[in-house]
Amino acid sequence: MEKIGILTSGGDAPGMNAAIRAVGKIAAYKGIKVYGIQRGYLGMLNDEIFPMDNRFLSGIVDRGGTILLTARCLEFKDQKFRAIAAQNLKKRGIGGLVVIGGDGSYRGADSLSKEHEIKVVGLPGTIDNDIKGTDYTIGFDTCLNTILDAISKVRDTATSHERTILIEVMGRHAGDLALQACIAGGGDGVIIPEMENPIELLAFQIKERRKHGKLHDIILVSEGVGHVDEIAGILKEKLATEIRTVVLGHVQRGGTPSGFDRILAARMAEKAVDILENDEGGVMVGIESNKIVTHPLSYAWDGERNYDMRDDHDLALLLAR
Ligand code: ADP
Ligand code: F6P
């Protein structure tokens, strides 16, 4: 394969730039020309495609966000528009594509590859960690650490005022961020979509903590269970403590990528270029049990993820006591 394209799609995630840089540098080393596609599938459709030289890649390994920009493009769900986008690749002789995004982006990639014989490799780029076929996604670790920093700050004021504070974190329908932040951040309770979360039990646990002299409670709430203020409202009726809510929001999506995310991005990028160099495609790259692996793109949305949260949930509740 002589020419490949690369794009980022869906929500941005720290470490996407490290992946773009690694794809660009490794492909150049192998004599493969790389084209950057701006704004994800929207840019492919609008012909925003340019040769990505080394200057474009310099100074980006430690930058959050994506220098290629990202967008959501509903037209790409329509075969007619995918044909226009594919033509924009073909007229430049681009036969392969690296798509960095979530499973929605993989669906688009899968259709494109089947309809137009473009070899596609998906790299998991999202803070949500919600992609089947990989233990970790690029951006999750950085986001987790951003949340941990916020928990420490919130805990200071929660203790001073002896309050119960509910912190809502992102994750879309996945509870990974909330659950792992609870374990690592010393949270005192967690509410995630994958588990039953009886508010009565949480209220009981908070009362028990207070009986044992605890001055605060930090509860991690995944956005996938609904708005944090509604949960605070129900909890208020059951508790005597003062309650506040914090919605961390988009601060979770930014920031310098962690070492873990940069290394993950580099390893996955190397695999993606290897696959395309061999004229193969139709796969996503993941990391499982610390090994770089591949699966067909459809694996990402076909069936349940392998992460059974019950053990970590038990651990979080044990540590919250
Ligand atoms: P993510 O990739 O993070 O899951 P989205 O679900 O928003 O994010 O998908 C990103 C983009 O991928 C969409 O804006 C659209 O362009 C494309 N896409 C999503 N689902 C499909 C689909 N079923 N068919 C074709 N393209 C899709
Ligand atoms: O998928 C990443 C994510 O940050 C989710 O955690 C969140 O639900 C969503 O994107 C927010 O999307 P937007 O940036 O469009 O508000």
Side-chain angles (χ1 to χ4, degrees):
M1 177 136 351
E2 286 167 17
K3 295 180 182 177
I4 64 173
I6 181 166
L7 61 82
T8 48
S9 170
D12 66 344
M16 281 184 163
N17 283 330
I20 295 166
R21 172 179 176 269
V23 166
K25 293 190 82 149
I26 296 166
Y29 173 74
K30 291 174 184 265
I32 300 170
K33 188 164 178 166
V34 183
Y35 287 79
I37 301 165
Q38 291 188 303
R39 300 181 179 83
Y41 295 124
L42 187 66
M44 194 190 289
L45 194 55
N46 293 337
D47 211 14
E48 297 176 291
I49 303 172
F50 64 98
M52 213 170 67
D53 61 23
N54 262 347
R55 266 173 312 155
F56 186 76
L57 302 176
S58 87
I60 64 166
V61 75
D62 59 352
R63 279 175 57 194
T66 161
I67 52 163
L68 284 176
L69 310 178
T70 186
R72 296 198 166 100
C73 171
L74 292 182
E75 290 95 331
F76 207 74
K77 294 187 178 180
D78 183 334
Q79 192 172 355
K80 184 169 81 232
F81 289 103
R82 286 197 295 272
I84 299 170
Q87 187 48 36
N88 288 333
L89 298 183
K90 286 190 173 163
K91 72 183 182 193
R92 291 178 173 86
I94 299 172
L97 187 66
V98 178
V99 171
I100 309 173
D103 65 332
S105 304
Y106 291 180
R107 283 175 197 261
D110 196 46
S111 301
L112 187 77
S113 100
K114 287 179 173 147
E115 291 160 9
H116 301 284
E117 290 179 22
I118 291 163
K119 309 281 185 207
V120 187
V121 180
L123 299 189
T126 165
I127 60 165
D128 300 335
N129 211 41
D130 60 348
I131 302 181
K132 188 181 161 210
T134 189
D135 296 342
Y136 294 104
T137 56
I138 298 166
F140 173 73
D141 181 67
T142 306
C143 178
L144 179 60
N145 282 292
T146 301
I147 296 169
L148 296 182
D149 182 49
I151 291 175
S152 299
K153 290 177 172 140
V154 169
R155 185 184 287 111
D156 288 345
T157 176
T159 309
S160 306
H161 288 264
E162 300 176 65
R163 283 174 172 159
T164 300
I165 301 195
L166 275 58
I167 304 179
E168 181 184 297
V169 302
M170 282 186 169
R172 210 179 285 258
H173 305 297
D176 300 48
L177 283 169
L179 184 56
Q180 297 200 27
C182 182
I183 295 170
D188 307 306
V190 61
I191 302 182
I192 53 173
E194 293 84 352
M195 304 295 297
E196 297 282 316
N197 309 284
I199 302 288
E200 288 72 21
L201 182 62
L202 181 62
F204 172 77
Q205 283 162 346
I206 290 173
K207 282 183 199 155
E208 286 296 299
R209 284 173 49 75
R210 295 299 179 131
K211 272 190 212 158
H212 289 99
K214 302 284 186 193
L215 298 179
H216 66 253
D217 320 283
I218 301 293
I219 311 300
L220 276 301
V221 180
S222 175
E223 65 173 353
V225 298
H227 201 278
V228 71
D229 282 333
E230 283 169 27
I231 294 164
I234 304 169
L235 210 51
K236 211 172 200 153
E237 289 165 12
K238 303 181 190 301
L239 291 177
T241 54
E242 248 191 303
I243 299 180
R244 292 289 186 275
T245 57
V246 177
V247 179
L248 287 184
H250 286 80
V251 73
Q252 296 164 96
R253 283 244 294 268
T256 303
S258 66
F260 181 91
D261 277 332
R262 295 185 213 182
I263 290 165
L264 184 64
R267 288 182 176 153
M268 288 180 163
E270 183 185 31
K271 186 71 179 176
V273 177
D274 278 356
I275 294 165
L276 293 175
E277 186 189 21
N278 292 325
D279 274 332
E280 286 163 14
V283 294
M284 60 163 284
V285 178
I287 185 163
E288 288 176 327
S289 306
N290 211 25
K291 291 238 173 343
I292 296 295
V293 296
T294 60
H295 297 286
L297 283 166
S298 60
Y299 186 80
W301 63 84
D302 222 359
E304 295 292 305
R305 283 172 64 201
N306 301 330
Y307 179 25
D308 181 348
M309 296 207 173
R310 280 175 299 188
D311 286 348
D312 276 348
H313 191 252
D314 287 348
L315 178 62
L317 296 189
L318 185 63
L319 293 173
R321 288 163 74 92

